[in-house]
């Protein structure tokens, strides 16, 4: 009996081992590790960098696999080097930064990936503990590895942080530098960036006028150009020539005292979108823009009517645009008494207009400029107003229109009022459009601070006479 039980137990144990072994063969097979290395790199490129690094613990095959992948995103580098107890304090931040710099040295200068190319590299050097000389060495290593996209945010001061070899890097397609503090770019005598499509620069001082001009002229495939707080003190002409340029933004780059004798020119026949912010130059953008679709002047600043005249010249070149964003100061050009309405083109393609009147330190504008522009926009479908300020006309009596603009009769179907507080001016403005807009379908009130009761606002809107019977209201 005892012998029979031993045999039965041995048989059961043997069957159990077979079942376990079979299950491990089914479940434990490492199919991912058998994939080709380029395919594994492609999969890892979609993961946050800290998860890609953590794959080193999987097996010997994965130990250095992530180092040779073509995409590195270190915008959140602390997630890699963070350890409990390191938060807080400048000394601990310094230690943490040193650990990351050592980590990045090992990554970029590893013998395992010296010959591999890098498609995309993003790095945020967000504190002054970063060693500028090491940052420069990293950029040099990236150039040697034929980097495609380079996005670098730097907060460590140094005059020659960027090696000149970067400007002859034939593999570069996207260059995005945000220096935080003004940085001088040194250019080589010969510049060649044949594949560069996107160029974004922040806080750059162009020291050599001729080389800076050559820099912008030697990017034949450039499609996007963004300059933020970049400057050159002795400029009299700022010229950009890019036959393939589609988007151009100049934001905060021109200081007030440098703008009085400055002319800004753009030769970009394929330009579809433009954004301008900062002080307006004396002679604003000149050129021909047959493909322009969007224009954003919400953050343009001005304190002299003479530069508004230069802006009005540019507006005449924008007759094909579909979307226009503009500030109160820029919109003054349509309310200036000595600028006749007939001097502007008809904006037949314009379907959306956004006007920002949030300028509390300026005298409140009249509604006259807006009405003038509505007459120039016969096919406008959507109107967005940020902070209705038409107190001049309201002041105890109703707004009226001598002549109803064509767009209110046939096209305007959406009106949006932002930063609303439920003030009488806002309600009177909405009442005017409800009365005259015959195809209006939607009125949106976006809440601001101290908004009155939403129920009272909706009830008041519903009680106004409406030219459109299909209009509805939203309070967001």
């Amino acid at each position: 009996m005892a012998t029979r039980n031993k045999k039965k137990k041995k048989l059961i144990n043997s069957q159990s081992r077979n079942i376990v072994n079979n299950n491990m063969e089914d479940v434990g097979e490492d199919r991912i590790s058998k994939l080709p290395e380029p395919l594994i790199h492609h999969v890892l490129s979609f993961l946050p960098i800290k998860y890609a690094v953590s794959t080193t613990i999987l097996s010997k095959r994965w130990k250095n696999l992530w180092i040779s992948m073509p995409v590195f995103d270190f915008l959140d580098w602390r997630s890699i080097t963070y350890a409990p107890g390191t938060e807080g304090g400048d000394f601990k931040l310094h230690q943490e930064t040193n650990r990351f710099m050592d980590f990045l040295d090992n990554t970029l200068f590893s013998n395992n990936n010296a010959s591999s190319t890098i498609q995309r590299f993003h790095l945020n050097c967000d504190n002054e503990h970063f060693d500028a000389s090491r940052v420069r060495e990293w950029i040099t290593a990236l150039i040697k590895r034929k980097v495609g996209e380079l996005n670098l945010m730097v907060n460590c001061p140094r005059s020659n942080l960027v090696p000149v070899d970067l400007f002859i890097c034939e593999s570069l397609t996207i260059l995005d530098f945000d220096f935080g503090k003004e940085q001088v770019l040194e250019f080589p005598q010969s510049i060649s960036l044949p594949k560069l499509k996107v160029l974004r620069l922040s806080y750059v001082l162009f020291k050599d006028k001729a080389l800076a001009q050559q820099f912008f002229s030697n990017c034949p495939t450039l499609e996007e150009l963004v300059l933020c707080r970049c400057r050159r003190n002795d400029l009299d002409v700022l010229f950009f020539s890019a036959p393939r340029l589609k988007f151009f933004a100049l934001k905060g780059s021109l200081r007030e005292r440098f703008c009085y004798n400055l002319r800004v020119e753009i030769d970009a026949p394929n330009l579809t979108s433009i954004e301008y912010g900062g002080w307006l130059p004396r002679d604003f953008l000149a050129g021909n823009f047959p493909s322009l679709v969007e224009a954003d002047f919400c953050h343009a600043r001005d304190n002299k009517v003479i530069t508004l005249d230069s802006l009005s010249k540019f507006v005449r070149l924008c007759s094909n645009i579909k979307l226009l964003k503009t500030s109160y100061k820029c919109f003054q050009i349509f309310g200036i008494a000595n600028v006749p309405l007939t001097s502007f083109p008809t904006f037949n393609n314009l379907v959306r207009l956004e006007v920002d009147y949030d300028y509390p330190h300026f005298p409140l504008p009249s509604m006259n400029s807006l009405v003038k522009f509505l007459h120039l926009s016969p096919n406008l479908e959507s109107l967005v107003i940020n902070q209705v300020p038409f107190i001049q006309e309201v002041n105890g009596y109703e707004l009226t229109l001598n002549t109803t603009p064509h767009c209110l009769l046939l096209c305007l179907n959406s009106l949006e009022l932002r930063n609303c507080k439920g003030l009488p001016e806002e309600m009177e403005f909405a009442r005017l459009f409800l009365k005259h807009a015959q195809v209006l379908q939607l009125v949106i009130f976006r809440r601001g601070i101290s908004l009155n009761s939403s129920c009272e606002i909706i009830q008041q809107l519903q009680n106004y006479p409406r030219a459109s019977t299909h209009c509805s209201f939203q309070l967001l």
Side-chain angles (χ1 to χ4, degrees):
M1 184 70 176
T3 303
R4 189 184 303 137
N5 288 337
K6 287 182 179 179
K7 290 182 178 179
K8 185 176 181 180
K9 186 176 181 180
K10 185 176 181 180
L11 177 63
I12 292 174
N13 290 337
S14 177
Q15 290 174 344
S16 299
R17 283 194 299 269
N18 290 335
I19 291 173
V20 171
N21 290 334
N22 290 335
N23 287 340
M24 288 184 68
E25 289 178 1
D26 293 338
V27 177
E29 182 180 1
D30 186 1
R31 297 181 179 180
I32 295 180
S33 295
K34 294 180 181 179
L35 293 173
E37 193 167 293
L39 185 55
I40 296 178
H41 286 156
H42 181 69
V43 174
L44 291 178
S45 68
F46 291 97
L47 297 176
I49 191 66
K50 65 177 180 179
Y51 295 124
V53 174
S54 66
T55 60
T56 57
I57 66 173
L58 295 178
S59 68
K60 291 182 179 180
R61 167 87 194 279
W62 290 81
K63 185 175 182 180
N64 294 314
L65 196 58
W66 76 272
I67 295 180
S68 57
M69 69 181 195
V71 175
F72 293 96
D73 187 345
F74 296 112
L75 294 180
D76 184 21
W77 61 268
R78 285 196 180 105
S79 63
I80 301 173
T81 59
Y82 172 77
T86 60
E87 66 273 16
D90 189 67
F91 177 71
K92 291 183 178 180
L93 178 61
H94 180 66
Q95 288 182 315
E96 190 177 1
T97 305
N98 281 338
R99 282 197 299 272
F100 174 74
M101 289 193 294
D102 292 339
F103 165 82
L104 195 51
D105 282 345
N106 294 331
T107 301
L108 292 179
F109 304 122
S110 170
N111 293 328
N112 295 328
N113 61 351
S115 60
S116 61
T117 60
I118 293 181
Q119 296 175 5
R120 185 167 68 249
F121 186 90
H122 294 180
L123 175 61
N124 182 10
C125 303
D126 58 358
N127 66 75
E128 296 184 354
H129 297 300
F130 275 89
D131 185 341
S133 62
R134 295 172 80 171
V135 175
R136 181 182 173 89
E137 290 174 358
W138 296 338
I139 299 175
T140 301
L142 292 168
I143 297 170
K144 292 179 180 179
R145 293 180 59 181
K146 299 180 180 179
V147 63
E149 302 179 15
L150 179 55
N151 182 340
L152 187 62
M153 290 182 281
V154 185
N155 194 30
C156 48
R158 177 171 172 166
S159 58
N160 60 341
L161 183 69
V162 181
V164 293
D165 288 348
L166 182 68
F167 303 107
I168 54 173
C169 182
E170 297 189 352
S171 61
L172 203 60
T173 58
I174 297 178
L175 179 59
D176 190 338
F177 277 163
D178 185 350
F179 293 107
K181 300 176 182 178
E182 196 167 83
Q183 178 77 210
V184 176
L185 287 186
E186 299 288 348
F187 297 104
Q189 292 298 320
S190 177
I191 300 172
S192 178
L193 296 166
K195 294 184 180 179
L196 190 66
K197 291 186 177 182
V198 177
L199 176 61
R200 306 186 189 105
L201 299 176
S202 297
Y203 293 96
V204 171
L205 173 62
F206 296 105
K207 191 174 182 180
D208 189 300
K209 177 180 177 181
L211 289 178
Q213 195 62 61
Q214 183 185 353
F215 171 49
F216 292 113
S217 301
N218 282 271
C219 304
T221 61
L222 195 64
E223 296 180 1
E224 178 181 332
L225 175 59
V226 179
L227 300 178
C228 181
R229 299 188 181 277
C230 301
R231 68 183 181 91
R232 170 64 187 166
N233 292 355
D234 59 352
L235 278 181
D236 53 355
V237 176
L238 194 60
F239 177 72
F240 303 97
S241 178
R244 298 188 184 182
L245 192 67
K246 296 179 180 179
F247 176 74
F248 174 69
L250 190 64
K251 299 183 287 186
S253 296
L254 302 180
R255 299 181 181 181
E256 183 180 10
R257 65 179 181 274
F258 300 141
C259 295
Y260 293 122
N261 296 312
L262 180 65
R263 175 180 176 84
V264 179
E265 297 181 3
I266 296 180
D267 179 16
N270 291 306
L271 192 69
T272 59
S273 181
I274 188 169
E275 180 180 348
Y276 189 93
W279 296 100
L280 295 170
R282 180 182 181 90
D283 200 351
F284 194 50
L285 304 164
N288 186 25
F289 314 108
S291 304
L292 196 64
V293 175
E294 300 180 4
D296 184 346
F297 300 110
C298 276
H299 300 288
R301 302 179 64 185
D302 174 77
N303 60 1
K304 300 292 181 181
V305 172
I306 187 170
T307 57
L308 290 176
D309 291 337
S310 70
L311 181 59
S312 68
K313 296 176 184 177
F314 173 74
V315 171
R316 294 184 182 97
L317 302 174
C318 299
S319 59
N320 293 324
I321 59 174
K322 295 182 179 180
L323 167 63
L324 176 61
K325 299 179 181 180
T326 182
S327 67
Y328 148 49
K329 292 299 293 182
C330 291
F331 215 62
Q332 275 188 312
I333 62 175
F334 302 106
I336 297 173
N338 61 359
V339 179
L341 194 63
T342 54
S343 66
F344 294 104
T346 300
F347 297 88
N348 289 312
N349 295 330
L350 188 66
V351 294
R352 183 177 175 87
L353 173 64
E354 299 182 15
V355 187
D356 187 354
Y357 285 95
D358 191 9
Y359 282 83
H361 301 297
F362 290 105
L364 290 171
S366 167
M367 190 175 174
N368 183 46
S369 58
L370 177 61
V371 174
K372 277 188 175 183
F373 193 79
L374 292 180
H375 279 289
L376 296 171
S377 312
N379 298 309
L380 189 69
E381 299 177 2
S382 176
L383 175 61
V384 178
I385 304 292
N386 183 27
Q387 192 160 317
V388 175
F390 301 110
I391 298 179
Q392 287 185 17
E393 283 89 346
V394 176
N395 198 24
Y397 60 88
E398 293 183 349
L399 291 172
T400 59
L401 293 178
N402 295 328
T403 306
T404 303
H406 184 271
C407 62
L408 298 188
L409 298 174
L410 298 176
C411 302
L412 190 73
N413 55 53
S414 173
L415 173 65
E416 180 177 339
L417 305 182
R418 296 176 178 173
N419 196 24
C420 292
K421 303 178 181 65
L423 298 175
E425 307 87 77
E426 299 164 347
M427 303 308 297
E428 179 60 21
F429 185 80
R431 185 202 64 79
L432 178 70
F433 277 81
L434 286 171
K435 180 179 180 180
H436 293 278
Q438 298 187 7
V439 295
L440 192 63
Q441 298 180 11
L442 180 63
V443 175
I444 300 174
F445 271 59
R446 292 195 178 273
R447 303 169 186 263
I449 58 175
S450 305
L451 180 66
N452 293 338
S453 171
S454 57
C455 295
E456 293 180 4
I457 290 176
I458 295 297
Q459 184 62 45
Q460 190 172 350
L461 290 172
Q462 290 175 340
N463 291 336
Y464 286 148
R466 281 177 274 175
S468 172
T469 57
H470 302 289
C471 185
S472 61
F473 307 99
Q474 289 184 7
L475 187 62
L476 304 177

